[in-house]
Each structure stands twice: as structure tokens, then as C-alpha cells.
Amino acid sequence: MVELTGEDRVSFLQGLVSNDVARATPGHAVWAALLTPQGKWLADFFILATPEALLLDCAAAQAEMLAQRLSRFRLRAKVALAARPDLGVLAGWGGAAVPQGAIAAPDPRLPEAGWRAILPAADLPAGNGDYARHRLALGLPDGAPDLEPEKSVLLEAGFDELDGISWSKGCYMGQELTARTKYRGLLKRRLVPVDVQGPLPAPGTPIRRGEAEVGEMRSGHAEGLGLALLRLPILGDEALTCGEATLMPRIPHWMRLPEKAAP
């Protein structure tokens, strides 16, 4: 968790991340990413707001890095940044009740994704359901297990369809490549949910269509769910091989794929 306080916190973050920070209000979260100047993914997070602060719900392993990178751009802005390891996140779905007193908002990516709540880490329950299974069933990426720092682009991971990019707010770091990729049809790969038959492949295992390598495995779940980075075009009815397993791409209702690969 990273906390931003100070009167310039919204305008400061607005010029750096992929989505419209002004949309983050109490009870309404925003999903956004921090990119390199070349438009490659560094981190993604949910922005939750209180009257006094913005809280970046990010992977715990990235909190210090994220706070340090953002701090480089502070200059004269009236904003303070700090990692908050004392805070944790609880996710709920399927009618689960939001804990009383939590800083909470619906997951902005999909209605069926549920909600996210920020609580003192000491108050988090011992179990949080099977969130990995839940998000893989929906085809949702989860940061570092699915995206490569300084290599992945947002459109590969569904940030467009899942409301992780504002196309109207103006400039932010990495905006030029993100826009060019969209409007010139330059996308060549996509993260796609797959059903796994056989032993779950390790992340990075090559995926093949016949003898041709067409992608690699990313995160997975023992119940036969996974995400794979596949070269476009993707044929949803064609089985692929990955290690000792067979993968069947499963295109979710929210995903928009081009009819053919970019040149």
C-alpha cells in the first residue's frame, strides 16, 4: 500500500498514471498503471480515496518501489508519499459483505469482480477465499505474475476493456506509445484465459500450435485455470500444447480481439 497526502496529490498523480485520478472518490476506485517513458508497464494498482488521502492498493512487493519512483517526480508539488505496510487489502465477491469501517469500493474492472477493502493488516481475516481462482475465471491479470516490468504494454493485458486507461484526460508518462498502439493497430499479443488439461505448466513455459511457438504461460491455478500470453490472431476453438498440458483459449465476454494479427 502507498499513501499520498497533501493538497496536490490528485494533480501530481494525474500526470503520471494511465487513468483519470480525479475519478477516485470515496466509494469509487480507479484502476491505473505506472509506465516507463517508453510506455512499458512498471506497476498497476487500485486508487481508493478518503477525504484526506489517496491510497494505492498495489502488490506488497512493489509498494516501496512505487513510492520511490513516484517521489522522483514530486519536485515542488505539495504531496507526501509513504509505503503503508500496516494496511492490507481484502477482496470479496459473490454477495460477500464489506467489513464495517473499511475503506472500500467496487472493483472497477468488472461488476462480477466484487469489491476491495483496505483494513489494518492486523485485522485481516486468516483466509480471503480463493482470489486467484476467482480472478483467473474472469480472465483478470494480477500484476507481476502476468506482466513483465519494462516489457509489457497495457493493451496486451486488457487495460482498455477493463477501464484501466483514460483516453481523454491528457498526457501521462508513457501515453504516446499506449495511444499509438491502439490507434495504429500495432498490438501483436494478448493475455488470454486458458483452460488447462493436464499438469499445470510453470510460468514462462512455451506454448505451441503444432511446431510453431505462439506464446508462453503466465499465472495459473491447480483447478485448470490460467492466463497465457498468446500471439495474435487467437483461435478460440484450437487446442495448444504447453509442456505436458493442453490449453484451450477461453475468450471472456469483455475481451475484444482484432480479427487478424498486426503487421
Side-chain angles (χ1 to χ4, degrees), residues 7 28 35 58-59 79 88-89 103-105 112 123 125 127 162 179 189 204 207 216 226 241 248 255:
E7 62 185 81
H28 186 281
L35 308 178
C58 64
V79 61
V89 177
I103 301 168
E112 54 266 47
D123 295 342
L162 295 170
R189 308 182 301 175
I207 298 171
E216 65 179 45
T241 58
M248 183 67 71
M255 186 174 287

Side-chain angles (χ1 to χ4, degrees), residues 216-241:
E216 65 179 45
M217 188 70 181
R218 292 296 169 88
S219 62
H221 189 279
E223 293 187 17
L225 297 171
L227 281 181
L229 184 66
L230 297 178
R231 188 179 307 150
L232 295 171
I234 296 166
L235 307 177
D237 58 352
E238 182 176 18
L240 306 171
T241 58

Side-chain angles (χ1 to χ4, degrees), residues 15-103:
L16 295 173
V17 304
S18 65
N19 215 335
D20 186 354
V21 180
R23 294 171 53 209
T25 55
H28 186 281
V30 168
W31 187 44
L34 177 69
L35 308 178
T36 67
Q38 294 76 32
K40 303 303 176 66
W41 177 87
L42 287 172
D44 62 89
F45 38 83
F46 300 91
I47 307 171
L48 284 82
T50 72
E52 300 82 23
L54 294 176
L55 293 167
L56 308 187
D57 163 9
C58 64
Q62 290 194 305
E64 288 287 350
M65 177 277 292
L66 185 56
Q68 291 175 6
R69 281 189 177 265
L70 291 174
S71 293
R72 298 176 186 175
F73 302 97
R74 190 176 56 170
L75 302 176
R76 297 182 180 179
K78 296 178 181 177
V79 61
L81 298 97
R84 291 290 305 273
D86 57 308
L87 297 176
V89 177
L90 182 68
W93 59 92
V98 179
Q100 289 189 349
I103 301 168

Side-chain angles (χ1 to χ4, degrees), residues 238-251:
E238 182 176 18
L240 306 171
T241 58
C242 185
E244 299 179 13
T246 298
L247 307 183
M248 183 67 71
R250 176 175 48 84
I251 310 303

Side-chain angles (χ1 to χ4, degrees), residues 46 90-95 105-116 131 134-135 138 140 162 253-254:
F46 300 91
L90 182 68
W93 59 92
D107 188 316
R109 297 172 295 181
L110 292 173
E112 54 266 47
W115 48 259
R116 302 182 71 85
Y131 179 71
H134 172 63
R135 62 105 182 164
L138 294 174
L140 300 176
L162 295 170
H253 68 87
W254 56 264

